[in-house]
Amino acid sequence: MTITVINPNGSASMTKHLEQGCNDMVLSHHTLEFQYCANSPLSIEGFSDGAAAAHHLADYVKHREQSGMYTAGYVVACFDDTGVDAAREYVQCPVVGIGEAAMQFASLLGSSFVVMTTLQRSVPIIERNIERYGLRHRCAGVFASNIPVLALEGKPNNYDKMLTVSREALSNRFGEVLVLGCAGMSQWQEKLQEDLGVPVIDGVKSAIKIVAALSDLGLNTSKALSYAYPEQKHESMP
Amino acid sequence: MTITVINPNGSASMTKHLEQGCNDMVLSHHTLEFQYCANSPLSIEGFSDGAAAAHHLADYVKHREQSGMYTAGYVVACFDDTGVDAAREYVQCPVVGIGEAAMQFASLLGSSFVVMTTLQRSVPIIERNIERYGLRHRCAGVFASNIPVLALEGKPNNYDKMLTVSREALSNRFGEVLVLGCAGMSQWQEKLQEDLGVPVIDGVKSAIKIVAALSDLGLNTSKALSYAYPEQKHESMP
Amino acid sequence: MTITVINPNGSASMTKHLEQGCNDMVLSHHTLEFQYCANSPLSIEGFSDGAAAAHHLADYVKHREQSGMYTAGYVVACFDDTGVDAAREYVQCPVVGIGEAAMQFASLLGSSFVVMTTLQRSVPIIERNIERYGLRHRCAGVFASNIPVLALEGKPNNYDKMLTVSREALSNRFGEVLVLGCAGMSQWQEKLQEDLGVPVIDGVKSAIKIVAALSDLGLNTSKALSYAYPEQKHESMP
Amino acid sequence: MTITVINPNGSASMTKHLEQGCNDMVLSHHTLEFQYCANSPLSIEGFSDGAAAAHHLADYVKHREQSGMYTAGYVVACFDDTGVDAAREYVQCPVVGIGEAAMQFASLLGSSFVVMTTLQRSVPIIERNIERYGLRHRCAGVFASNIPVLALEGKPNNYDKMLTVSREALSNRFGEVLVLGCAGMSQWQEKLQEDLGVPVIDGVKSAIKIVAALSDLGLNTSKALSYAYPEQKHESMP
Amino acid sequence: MTITVINPNGSASMTKHLEQGCNDMVLSHHTLEFQYCANSPLSIEGFSDGAAAAHHLADYVKHREQSGMYTAGYVVACFDDTGVDAAREYVQCPVVGIGEAAMQFASLLGSSFVVMTTLQRSVPIIERNIERYGLRHRCAGVFASNIPVLALEGKPNNYDKMLTVSREALSNRFGEVLVLGCAGMSQWQEKLQEDLGVPVIDGVKSAIKIVAALSDLGLNTSKALSYAYPEQKHESMP
Amino acid sequence: MTITVINPNGSASMTKHLEQGCNDMVLSHHTLEFQYCANSPLSIEGFSDGAAAAHHLADYVKHREQSGMYTAGYVVACFDDTGVDAAREYVQCPVVGIGEAAMQFASLLGSSFVVMTTLQRSVPIIERNIERYGLRHRCAGVFASNIPVLALEGKPNNYDKMLTVSREALSNRFGEVLVLGCAGMSQWQEKLQEDLGVPVIDGVKSAIKIVAALSDLGLNTSKALSYAYPEQKHESMP
C-alpha cells in the first residue's frame, strides 16, 4: 500500500528534495508518494503561515478521502505538525506529524535532546508542541540556526552554521540527541550524525516508519471522540 | 474608535445574536462592529472546523489591514480562541480571544472555575488551551451540555439542560465561578448567574472590555518575535 | 462609582505618586480614590513586610465594609498581590492585585514576558505567584534592578539602570513584553515602552481597568467557597 | 534547649490540648514550650483568618528575638503553615510548619497520601500549599470532615465522622497514608491509625522532631536571600 | 538481522506465548528471537520484583554483548519498562521498553488513552513512568483488572473481566485508545479492539516495530552521557 | 533500638568512612549499625550500577527480615535513593533514602537549593528523582564536581574543586542551601557550611534523624498498596 507524505507548504522544489531523500528507504509493504499544498505559503514560518497551511492540508486530505483515494496513512512533513489534528478527523488511517515522530524517537535514545530549527520565530511554536506532547523535561532546548526554510537547500556554508549551532546547544545543555527541526534539513542528517557523534533524528523518515508500523499492526486513528468525523451543521430555525 | 468583534464561524444569525447581546454595553471611547467569516463552517465543533475557521479569520484580518481599515482591536468570538495567534501577526492592535478573556476574569473571582461548553468533542480542544494558558489548576473541569452550537439559539428547554449541567459541575467539583464555553451562550449569562448564585462569565463582553482597556492604555501586540509581521518568502535559486 | 486603589504599604508619598500617575486615565463610569495602610511597612520587600501589609490591608477593607463605605471594587497596588485573597473574604465587589492584572495583560500581547522588579529578595515571592497563576511557561524570567522600592522615586539615573536590566532580560530570554514588577515603576511605563520597542505593562492602570470592567459587567467575587465571608468563631464548651 | 511550638491562632484551650498531647514525647536534647497568639482569630479557617494570624505570629517571633529570647527552633502549629515564611526572616534557627512536616513524612511512607481537614473552605488553601511544596502527585486528595476547628475538641461522635471521611477517601483514591489536616486532630492520631490500618501523620509531633533534628545537626534557616533579615526602610528625600 | 525480545521475568511459558503471538508479524529486514531471565521472579508485580528483574535483564544484556553476540536492538517485554535504562549503558543498539512504545503509539491515535493493567499495586509504578515520559495529560487513567500476570494465560472468563474494566474506563474518562498494560495481554489485542471499537495497543509488537525502524534508520542509543558505557571503578588508595 | 545504615555499593572503605562520620551523632533511643552490599559495584555511577545495587540492597533487606533480624528502620546511603522502593516491600519499618531526606530538609531552610554531585552522568538520575519528589521548582540546579565517588576520599585538593563548583552554582542560580549529592561527601559538610555561609545538607545524618523520628512516633511503611509484601507467584496450569 501507499503511504502519503504531504508537505503542508506550497514548495514543489522542497517536496522534490524530500522525495529524493527518501529514495533509499526500504519498506517491506509500502510505497511512498509525495504531495504538497499548492495554495499554501511557500514555507511555514510562524502562526499565520501555519494557519493557512493547516487549512490547505486538511482540505487536501478531505477531498482525497471523499473521492475514495485511500492511503495507508499520512505523514505531515512540517516540524510544527501543522494541521495534523484537523486531518485526523477526515480519515480512519493514521496521520503522523514529523515533529512528534522525531521527538518520540529522540526520547528513546537519550535522556534529553535538543532541537535545531530555522528561524527564532518558530521556536515558541515548537515549544508549545513540546509542552503539549509532554516532552518539556526531555527537551534541553530549541535553537534557531537563523537560516530560513527556503534557504536551507541553497548555500553550502549553511551546513557549517548548523553544525556550530547544534554542537554548542548539545554541549551547553548536556543534550544527548539532536532533532532536526525542519523537514528541509533531512538531507544533512547523516553528515551531522557523523560530525556530532550523537544520534541525529530526521522526522520525515521517522514518521514514515511509524505510519508503516501502525498500518502493519492494524492501528488506526480513533474515531471515538476528538477525531470523530466532522459534525453535520444544521442552522436552527427560529 | 471601533472595536471589531469577529465571529470566526460562518453563521450570520449567531453573529446577529451576539450583536444584540452587546447592545446594552456602555463603552466610553469605543463603538462596536460585528463581523463573521462567510466562508467558514457554520459552527466550530472540532479540529477541522477550527482549522478552516482559523484560516478564514486570519485572512479577513489580513485583507482588512492591508486595505487600511484599522480598528482599535479585535475580539475573536469563539471560545476555542480560533486563529487568534495567526491574526496577531497581521496587526499592531490587540487581538483577544473570548476563551482566554473569560478564563482570566474567572481566575480573579474565585479559586476555581468550571467551563460548560457545547459538545464533548470540544472538551479536549478547550482543555488544550487551558493547559497552554496555565490555568489547569484553576479549572475544576470542562463539561459538555451536549447541545450543538447552532441549537443554542433555538429550543427554550435547552436552558434547563445547561442549568442542570452547570449546577452539578459546580457542586461536584467545588467550582466557584461558571465560564460559558461558547459565544452562543452569552444570552443566558444573566439568568444563569441569578439561578446559580455564582459569577457567570461571558467571554464576548469580557474580551470587548479587555480590548477597550488595552487600547485605552496604549498597549499593542508585541511585534518583537512570535507576532512579528509574516516573513517574505524567497524560493532559493540553486 | 468609585474604584478604590489601596497601596498596602505605609508610604503616603508613593501613594501620591500613584495617584498623580493615574490623573490622565479616562474612565466612563468610575472615579478613583487612593488609600494607603498607615500602619504597614513603608515598602514591601520580602515575606515579613508582606505579612504585615496583608493584615493591614485586609483590616482596612474589613472596617470600611463594616461601616458601609462600599466601593465598585478594590485594586491592591503591590506587585506581590499582598493580601488580595484575605480582602476578598470581606467584600462582594471585585478585588484585583496589580501583579496578576499586569501578567494577564502581558499574556495577551506576546508569547512570553519578563518581569523587572526591585530587589532580588522579591524574586522568589513573585515567582511563587507566577507559579500559582499558572504563568510559569509564559514568564521568561523575573529580574531585579537592585533599586529599593523607596529609591525608585528618587535618583534620575535609576532609569538607565532599569532600561539596561530590562533590555538585557528581553534579549537574553527572547521576551516579547516587559512587565513592571513594582507599583513604584508606573511613572516610567511610557518612556520604557518607547525606548524598548515592546509593550510595557503597568499593573496599576491594568488593574483599574479590569476592576472597572468587572464592575460594569456585574461580575463580583464569588462567595461560594474560598471567599465566603469569614466564619463566626465559637469556642466549644467542654 | 527549648523548642517553641506556636499556635498561630488565639485559642488558649486548643494550645493546652496540643501541649498535653505532646507530654509523652521523648526528646534527648530539647524541652518544649507552647505559645499562642492572643490577638489572633480563635481558629484559622480561610484566608482572612490566615492573614491576621500570619502577622501576629511573625510579630511574636520578631519581638521575642529582639528581646534575646532565643530558642532552638520554632514549630508553627497550623496546618496551613501560616506565617512560616515571614517568621523565618526574623531568626537564624529553623522554623517548620506542621503542614509541610506532615506531608514530608507521609511521602516517605507510601506512594500517595490523603489529607483530612476541617472545613471545605480550607481545602483550596491546603491545595495551594501542596502545589507549592511540589506534592500534588503524591497527594491523592484533600477532604473536609466539615467539623470546625473549635468543635474538634468537643463532641465525641466527631471521631466517627472523621473515621468515615478518611476511610472513604483512602479507599476511593487508593491512598496509602492519612495526614491529619489540622493541629486540633492530633489527639486522634493513634486511634485513627489503629482503626484505619495505615500510617496516620500528626504534623505537630512530626514538626517537633524535624526541628529537633535540624537543631542537632546545626542546620539553620538560610539567610542568603529569601529569608535574609528584613530591609531597613529609608523614605527617599526628593 | 535479529531483534531480541527479552522478557525480564522468569516465565518460560509466558515467553513462549509472546513468541507465538508474534508469529504473524512481517518484518522486512529482521528476524525475532525471544529470551527470558531465568533467575528473575516469575512475574513482575511491584517494586521488589522489578528491582530483581532489572538486574537480571541488564546482566543478560551485558554478558551477551561482552561475548560479542550483537543484535539489531532489544525489546524489553515488561510494561513497567524494567531495566531499560541500565541495559542501554551496555550497548550501542536501541533498547525499547514496551510501556513507552505502546504509549507513544497511543498518543498518535487519540487525544487520550487509558491503560488497563493487572494488579492495583502496579498502578503507581506505571503512573510514575507516565509522569516521567511526560504523558500524564494524555493518559486518562490506569486501571487494574485485578488479574495476576500469571493468571492471564489461564481462565477464559478473564477476557470478560478485562472487557468490562476497559469499557468502563474508556467511557468514564472519555478515553479514545486502550493500552494493554502487560505483555501477557497481547493475545487479546485483536479481540478487544473489535469489541471496544477503539484502537487497542499491544506494546510488544509496537516496540518490535520501533526497534526495527530505528535499526533501519541507523539510529542508535546515544553514548554521549546518560547511557555511556559503565565507569571503570578504582578504589582510591589512601 | 538499632537503625541500620546500608550503603548499597560494595565499598567497605567508604562505609567505614560513613560510620566514622556519624560517631558524634547523639541519638536518644537508637544506636547505629553500618552495612554495605558486598556484591554491588564499588560505586554507583549511572543506571547499570544502580540496577545492580538496587537488587543487592533489596536482597540484603529481604534476607535479613526473613531471618528475623529486625531493625528500627533503614537508611539507604546512596544519593540516588537506590533500591529504596524495593526494600520497603520487605519490611514494616521505615526505609529512607539520603537523597529525599537531604532535599526535604533543604526545602525547609531556603526557597531554593542546589545539589552538587560527583559525575555528570549522575545528574539525569538525580533530576529524575527530583522530578518525582516534586522538588523541581525548589531545586535551582544539579551540578557535577567531576570527581568520581571513589576519589572523594582521596585527594585533598578535591575540596577546593567542590568549593568552587558549589560557590558558583549558588551564586549563578540564586541558591540558598547546598545539598551534598553523594554519601561520600558527608565529611566536608561542616567545612563547606563554614566556607559558603549557607546551610549545607548531608543526607546520611538527615536520613538517620528522620528514621529515628519516624520510629519514635510509631510511623511505619504503609503496607496498604505500593509497599505491600511481595506477591506469591503461581504459574497457571493450562
Side-chain angles (χ1 to χ4, degrees):
Chain A
M1 270 187 91
T2 302
I3 291 171
T4 306
V5 180
I6 319 181
N7 181 355
N9 75 28
S11 167
S13 143
M14 182 178 163
T15 310
K16 172 147 267 160
H17 267 83
L18 291 184
E19 185 161 11
Q20 286 165 348
C22 293
N23 271 347
D24 62 343
M25 286 191 75
V26 187
L27 294 160
S28 48
H29 299 292
H30 298 97
T31 52
L32 298 176
E33 76 172 307
F34 288 76
Q35 303 289 343
Y36 63 100
C37 296
N39 297 319
S40 275
L42 282 176
S43 61
I44 302 178
E45 295 164 318
F47 291 108
S48 65
D49 287 348
H55 173 59
H56 292 302
L57 178 120
D59 220 46
Y60 173 87
V61 171
K62 172 185 170 187
H63 288 111
R64 188 175 163 127
E65 291 285 314
Q66 284 174 348
S67 63
M69 291 176 60
Y70 300 123
T71 187
Y74 290 94
V75 166
V76 177
C78 171
F79 197 80
D80 300 353
D81 295 345
T82 314
V84 165
D85 291 305
R88 282 178 182 151
E89 288 190 6
Y90 291 118
V91 301
Q92 196 141 32
C93 65
V95 181
V96 174
I98 66 170
E100 190 160 13
M103 295 191 284
Q104 283 190 349
F105 274 8
S107 304
L108 298 170
L109 300 172
S111 278
S112 73
F113 59 84
V114 297
V115 177
M116 176 187 50
T117 189
T118 52
L119 304 188
Q120 186 65 38
R121 75 182 299 155
S122 291
V123 173
I125 294 171
I126 294 171
E127 285 178 337
R128 218 180 253 202
N129 283 349
I130 288 172
E131 191 74 35
R132 186 153 62 79
Y133 301 153
L135 296 171
R136 188 160 41 100
H137 311 144
R138 306 303 291 276
C139 177
V142 182
F143 297 88
S145 63
N146 293 316
I147 308 171
V149 173
L150 297 173
L152 283 170
E153 303 171 16
K155 305 184 201 156
N157 74 333
N158 280 341
Y159 179 79
D160 297 331
K161 216 163 154 183
M162 286 190 290
L163 183 62
T164 306
V165 167
S166 39
R167 189 171 274 146
E168 276 176 24
L170 289 162
S171 161
N172 292 341
R173 303 292 181 95
F174 299 104
E176 309 182 15
V177 177
L178 179 71
V179 171
L180 299 177
C182 177
M185 293 173 173
S186 304
Q187 51 191 308
W188 288 301
Q189 183 266 337
E190 225 166 325
K191 189 156 167 43
L192 278 169
Q193 186 164 281
E194 205 183 301
D195 288 349
L196 291 168
V198 299
V200 175
I201 317 284
D202 163 38
V204 181
K205 288 183 182 165
S206 301
I208 289 170
K209 282 291 189 182
I210 288 175
V211 166
L214 294 171
S215 164
D216 283 358
L217 299 177
L219 294 173
N220 285 307
T221 295
S222 176
K223 305 308 281 181
L225 182 55
S226 304
Y227 302 130
Y229 292 105
E231 302 291 317
Q232 298 303 316
K233 311 295 178 189
H234 307 285
E235 189 110 34
S236 71
M237 298 297 130
Chain B
M1 269 187 93
T2 302
I3 292 171
T4 306
V5 181
I6 319 181
N7 180 354
N9 75 28
S11 167
S13 142
M14 183 179 162
T15 309
K16 172 146 267 160
H17 267 84
L18 291 184
E19 186 162 9
Q20 287 163 347
C22 293
N23 271 346
D24 61 343
M25 286 190 76
V26 186
L27 293 160
S28 48
H29 300 291
H30 298 97
T31 52
L32 298 175
E33 78 174 305
F34 287 76
Q35 303 289 343
Y36 64 99
C37 296
N39 298 319
S40 275
L42 282 176
S43 61
I44 302 178
E45 295 163 320
F47 291 109
S48 65
D49 287 347
H55 174 59
H56 292 302
L57 178 119
D59 222 45
Y60 174 87
V61 170
K62 173 186 171 186
H63 287 111
R64 188 175 163 127
E65 291 285 315
Q66 285 175 347
S67 62
M69 290 176 61
Y70 300 124
T71 188
Y74 290 94
V75 166
V76 178
C78 171
F79 197 79
D80 299 353
D81 295 344
T82 315
V84 165
D85 291 305
R88 282 179 182 152
E89 288 190 4
Y90 292 117
V91 300
Q92 197 142 27
C93 65
V95 181
V96 174
I98 66 169
E100 192 161 11
M103 294 191 285
Q104 284 191 348
F105 274 8
S107 302
L108 298 170
L109 300 172
S111 277
S112 73
F113 59 84
V114 297
V115 177
M116 175 186 53
T117 188
T118 53
L119 303 188
Q120 186 65 38
R121 76 182 300 155
S122 292
V123 174
I125 294 170
I126 293 171
E127 286 177 337
R128 218 180 252 202
N129 283 350
I130 287 172
E131 193 73 39
R132 186 153 61 79
Y133 301 153
L135 296 171
R136 188 160 41 101
H137 310 144
R138 307 303 292 275
C139 177
V142 183
F143 297 86
S145 63
N146 293 316
I147 308 171
V149 174
L150 298 172
L152 283 171
E153 303 170 17
K155 303 182 204 160
N157 73 332
N158 281 341
Y159 179 78
D160 298 331
K161 218 165 153 182
M162 287 190 290
L163 182 63
T164 306
V165 167
S166 39
R167 188 172 274 146
E168 276 177 23
L170 288 163
S171 160
N172 293 341
R173 302 293 180 95
F174 299 104
E176 309 182 15
V177 177
L178 178 72
V179 171
L180 299 177
C182 176
M185 292 173 175
S186 303
Q187 51 192 307
W188 288 302
Q189 183 266 339
E190 222 166 327
K191 188 157 167 43
L192 277 167
Q193 186 163 283
E194 203 182 302
D195 287 350
L196 291 167
V198 299
V200 176
I201 318 284
D202 162 39
V204 182
K205 288 183 184 166
S206 301
I208 289 170
K209 282 291 189 181
I210 288 175
V211 166
L214 294 171
S215 164
D216 283 356
L217 298 176
L219 295 171
N220 285 308
T221 295
S222 175
K223 304 309 284 182
L225 183 56
S226 305
Y227 302 129
Y229 291 104
E231 302 291 315
Q232 296 305 314
K233 311 294 179 189
H234 307 285
E235 189 109 35
S236 70
M237 298 297 128
Chain C
M1 269 189 91
T2 302
I3 291 172
T4 307
V5 181
I6 319 182
N7 180 354
N9 75 28
S11 168
S13 141
M14 181 179 166
T15 310
K16 172 147 268 160
H17 268 83
L18 292 184
E19 187 162 10
Q20 286 164 348
C22 294
N23 272 346
D24 62 342
M25 288 189 74
V26 186
L27 294 161
S28 49
H29 300 292
H30 298 98
T31 53
L32 299 175
E33 77 173 305
F34 288 76
Q35 303 290 343
Y36 64 100
C37 296
N39 297 319
S40 276
L42 282 176
S43 61
I44 301 177
E45 295 164 319
F47 292 109
S48 65
D49 287 348
H55 174 58
H56 292 302
L57 178 119
D59 221 46
Y60 174 87
V61 171
K62 172 184 169 189
H63 286 110
R64 186 173 165 128
E65 291 284 314
Q66 285 174 347
S67 62
M69 290 176 60
Y70 300 123
T71 188
Y74 291 94
V75 167
V76 177
C78 172
F79 197 79
D80 300 353
D81 295 344
T82 317
V84 165
D85 291 305
R88 281 177 183 152
E89 288 189 5
Y90 292 117
V91 301
Q92 198 143 27
C93 65
V95 181
V96 175
I98 66 168
E100 191 161 12
M103 295 192 284
Q104 284 191 349
F105 274 8
S107 303
L108 298 171
L109 300 173
S111 277
S112 73
F113 59 84
V114 296
V115 177
M116 176 187 50
T117 188
T118 53
L119 303 187
Q120 186 65 38
R121 74 182 300 154
S122 291
V123 173
I125 294 171
I126 293 171
E127 286 177 335
R128 217 180 254 201
N129 283 350
I130 287 171
E131 191 75 37
R132 186 153 62 78
Y133 301 153
L135 297 171
R136 188 160 42 100
H137 310 145
R138 306 303 291 275
C139 178
V142 183
F143 297 88
S145 63
N146 293 317
I147 308 171
V149 174
L150 297 173
L152 283 171
E153 304 170 16
K155 304 185 202 156
N157 74 332
N158 280 342
Y159 179 78
D160 297 330
K161 217 163 152 184
M162 286 189 290
L163 183 62
T164 307
V165 167
S166 39
R167 188 172 274 147
E168 277 177 23
L170 288 162
S171 161
N172 293 341
R173 303 293 181 94
F174 299 104
E176 309 181 15
V177 177
L178 177 71
V179 171
L180 299 177
C182 177
M185 293 173 174
S186 305
Q187 50 191 309
W188 288 301
Q189 184 266 338
E190 225 166 325
K191 189 156 167 43
L192 277 168
Q193 187 163 282
E194 204 184 301
D195 288 349
L196 291 167
V198 299
V200 176
I201 317 283
D202 162 38
V204 182
K205 287 182 184 166
S206 302
I208 290 170
K209 282 291 190 181
I210 289 174
V211 166
L214 294 171
S215 164
D216 283 358
L217 299 176
L219 294 172
N220 285 306
T221 296
S222 176
K223 305 308 284 181
L225 184 55
S226 304
Y227 302 129
Y229 291 104
E231 301 291 316
Q232 297 304 315
K233 310 296 179 188
H234 307 285
E235 189 108 36
S236 72
M237 298 297 129
Chain D
M1 268 188 93
T2 303
I3 291 171
T4 307
V5 181
I6 319 182
N7 180 353
N9 75 28
S11 167
S13 141
M14 183 179 163
T15 309
K16 172 147 267 162
H17 268 84
L18 291 183
E19 185 161 11
Q20 286 164 348
C22 294
N23 271 347
D24 63 342
M25 286 190 76
V26 186
L27 294 160
S28 48
H29 299 291
H30 298 97
T31 52
L32 298 175
E33 78 172 305
F34 288 76
Q35 303 290 344
Y36 63 100
C37 296
N39 298 319
S40 276
L42 283 176
S43 61
I44 302 177
E45 295 163 320
F47 291 109
S48 64
D49 287 348
H55 173 59
H56 292 303
L57 178 120
D59 221 45
Y60 174 87
V61 171
K62 171 186 172 187
H63 287 111
R64 188 176 163 126
E65 291 286 313
Q66 284 175 347
S67 62
M69 290 177 59
Y70 300 124
T71 188
Y74 290 93
V75 166
V76 177
C78 172
F79 197 80
D80 299 352
D81 295 345
T82 315
V84 164
D85 291 305
R88 281 178 182 151
E89 287 190 6
Y90 292 117
V91 301
Q92 196 141 32
C93 65
V95 181
V96 175
I98 67 170
E100 191 161 13
M103 294 192 284
Q104 284 192 347
F105 274 9
S107 302
L108 298 170
L109 300 173
S111 277
S112 75
F113 58 85
V114 296
V115 176
M116 175 186 52
T117 188
T118 52
L119 303 188
Q120 186 64 38
R121 72 182 302 154
S122 292
V123 173
I125 294 170
I126 293 171
E127 285 177 336
R128 219 180 250 201
N129 283 348
I130 286 171
E131 192 74 36
R132 186 154 60 80
Y133 301 154
L135 296 170
R136 188 160 41 102
H137 311 144
R138 307 302 292 276
C139 177
V142 182
F143 296 87
S145 63
N146 292 317
I147 308 171
V149 176
L150 298 173
L152 283 170
E153 303 170 16
K155 304 184 203 159
N157 74 332
N158 280 340
Y159 178 79
D160 296 332
K161 217 164 152 184
M162 286 189 291
L163 183 62
T164 306
V165 167
S166 39
R167 188 172 273 146
E168 276 177 22
L170 288 163
S171 161
N172 293 342
R173 303 292 180 96
F174 298 104
E176 307 182 17
V177 177
L178 178 71
V179 170
L180 299 177
C182 176
M185 292 173 175
S186 304
Q187 52 191 307
W188 287 302
Q189 182 266 339
E190 224 167 325
K191 190 155 166 46
L192 277 168
Q193 186 164 281
E194 204 183 301
D195 287 350
L196 291 167
V198 299
V200 176
I201 317 284
D202 163 38
V204 182
K205 288 183 182 165
S206 302
I208 290 170
K209 281 291 190 182
I210 287 175
V211 166
L214 294 171
S215 164
D216 283 359
L217 299 176
L219 294 172
N220 285 308
T221 295
S222 176
K223 304 309 283 182
L225 182 56
S226 304
Y227 302 130
Y229 291 104
E231 302 292 316
Q232 298 304 317
K233 311 293 178 189
H234 307 285
E235 188 108 35
S236 71
M237 298 297 129
Chain E
M1 269 189 91
T2 303
I3 291 172
T4 308
V5 181
I6 319 180
N7 180 353
N9 76 29
S11 167
S13 142
M14 182 177 162
T15 310
K16 172 147 269 161
H17 268 84
L18 291 184
E19 186 161 11
Q20 288 165 348
C22 294
N23 272 347
D24 61 343
M25 285 190 76
V26 187
L27 294 160
S28 49
H29 299 291
H30 298 98
T31 52
L32 298 176
E33 79 174 303
F34 287 76
Q35 303 290 343
Y36 63 99
C37 296
N39 298 319
S40 275
L42 282 176
S43 61
I44 302 178
E45 295 163 321
F47 291 108
S48 64
D49 287 348
H55 174 59
H56 292 302
L57 178 121
D59 220 47
Y60 174 87
V61 170
K62 172 186 171 185
H63 287 112
R64 187 173 164 129
E65 291 285 314
Q66 284 174 350
S67 63
M69 291 175 60
Y70 300 123
T71 188
Y74 290 95
V75 166
V76 177
C78 172
F79 196 80
D80 300 354
D81 296 344
T82 314
V84 165
D85 291 305
R88 282 179 183 151
E89 288 189 5
Y90 291 117
V91 302
Q92 196 142 31
C93 65
V95 181
V96 175
I98 65 169
E100 192 161 11
M103 294 192 284
Q104 283 191 348
F105 274 8
S107 304
L108 299 170
L109 300 171
S111 278
S112 74
F113 59 84
V114 298
V115 177
M116 176 187 53
T117 188
T118 53
L119 303 187
Q120 186 66 38
R121 75 181 300 153
S122 292
V123 174
I125 294 170
I126 293 170
E127 286 177 336
R128 220 180 251 202
N129 283 350
I130 287 171
E131 191 75 35
R132 185 153 62 80
Y133 301 154
L135 297 171
R136 188 160 42 100
H137 310 143
R138 306 302 292 275
C139 177
V142 183
F143 297 87
S145 64
N146 293 316
I147 308 171
V149 175
L150 298 171
L152 284 170
E153 304 170 15
K155 304 183 204 159
N157 73 333
N158 281 341
Y159 179 79
D160 298 331
K161 217 165 152 181
M162 286 190 291
L163 183 60
T164 306
V165 167
S166 39
R167 188 171 275 146
E168 276 177 24
L170 288 162
S171 160
N172 293 340
R173 303 293 181 96
F174 298 104
E176 309 182 16
V177 177
L178 178 71
V179 171
L180 299 177
C182 176
M185 292 173 174
S186 305
Q187 52 191 306
W188 289 301
Q189 183 267 338
E190 221 166 328
K191 189 156 167 43
L192 277 168
Q193 187 163 283
E194 204 183 302
D195 288 349
L196 291 168
V198 299
V200 175
I201 318 284
D202 162 39
V204 181
K205 289 183 182 166
S206 302
I208 290 170
K209 282 291 189 181
I210 288 175
V211 166
L214 294 171
S215 164
D216 284 358
L217 299 177
L219 295 172
N220 285 308
T221 295
S222 176
K223 305 307 283 181
L225 183 54
S226 305
Y227 301 129
Y229 291 105
E231 302 291 316
Q232 298 304 314
K233 310 294 179 189
H234 306 285
E235 188 109 36
S236 71
M237 296 299 129
Chain F
M1 269 188 94
T2 302
I3 291 171
T4 306
V5 180
I6 319 181
N7 180 354
N9 76 27
S11 167
S13 142
M14 181 178 164
T15 311
K16 173 147 268 161
H17 268 83
L18 291 184
E19 186 161 11
Q20 287 164 348
C22 294
N23 271 347
D24 62 342
M25 286 190 75
V26 186
L27 295 160
S28 50
H29 299 291
H30 299 98
T31 53
L32 299 175
E33 78 172 307
F34 288 76
Q35 304 289 343
Y36 63 100
C37 296
N39 297 321
S40 275
L42 282 176
S43 61
I44 302 177
E45 295 163 320
F47 291 109
S48 65
D49 288 348
H55 174 60
H56 292 302
L57 178 119
D59 221 45
Y60 173 87
V61 170
K62 173 186 171 186
H63 288 111
R64 186 174 164 127
E65 291 285 314
Q66 285 175 348
S67 63
M69 290 177 61
Y70 300 123
T71 188
Y74 291 94
V75 167
V76 177
C78 172
F79 196 80
D80 300 353
D81 295 344
T82 315
V84 164
D85 291 305
R88 281 178 183 152
E89 287 190 5
Y90 292 117
V91 301
Q92 198 142 30
C93 65
V95 181
V96 175
I98 66 169
E100 191 162 12
M103 293 192 285
Q104 283 191 348
F105 274 8
S107 303
L108 299 171
L109 301 172
S111 275
S112 73
F113 58 85
V114 297
V115 177
M116 176 187 50
T117 189
T118 53
L119 303 187
Q120 186 65 38
R121 75 182 299 154
S122 292
V123 173
I125 295 171
I126 293 171
E127 285 177 336
R128 219 180 253 200
N129 283 349
I130 286 171
E131 191 73 37
R132 186 153 60 80
Y133 301 153
L135 296 171
R136 187 159 43 100
H137 311 145
R138 307 303 293 274
C139 178
V142 183
F143 297 88
S145 63
N146 293 317
I147 308 170
V149 174
L150 298 172
L152 284 171
E153 304 171 16
K155 305 184 202 158
N157 74 333
N158 280 341
Y159 179 78
D160 297 330
K161 216 163 152 184
M162 287 189 290
L163 183 61
T164 306
V165 167
S166 38
R167 188 171 274 148
E168 276 175 24
L170 288 163
S171 161
N172 293 341
R173 302 293 180 96
F174 298 103
E176 308 182 15
V177 177
L178 178 72
V179 170
L180 299 177
C182 177
M185 293 174 174
S186 303
Q187 49 191 309
W188 288 302
Q189 182 266 338
E190 224 166 326
K191 189 155 167 45
L192 278 167
Q193 186 164 283
E194 205 183 301
D195 288 349
L196 291 167
V198 299
V200 176
I201 317 283
D202 163 38
V204 182
K205 287 183 182 165
S206 302
I208 290 170
K209 282 291 189 181
I210 289 175
V211 166
L214 294 171
S215 164
D216 283 358
L217 298 177
L219 294 172
N220 285 307
T221 296
S222 175
K223 304 309 282 182
L225 183 54
S226 304
Y227 302 130
Y229 291 104
E231 302 293 315
Q232 298 304 315
K233 312 294 181 189
H234 306 285
E235 189 109 37
S236 72
M237 299 297 129

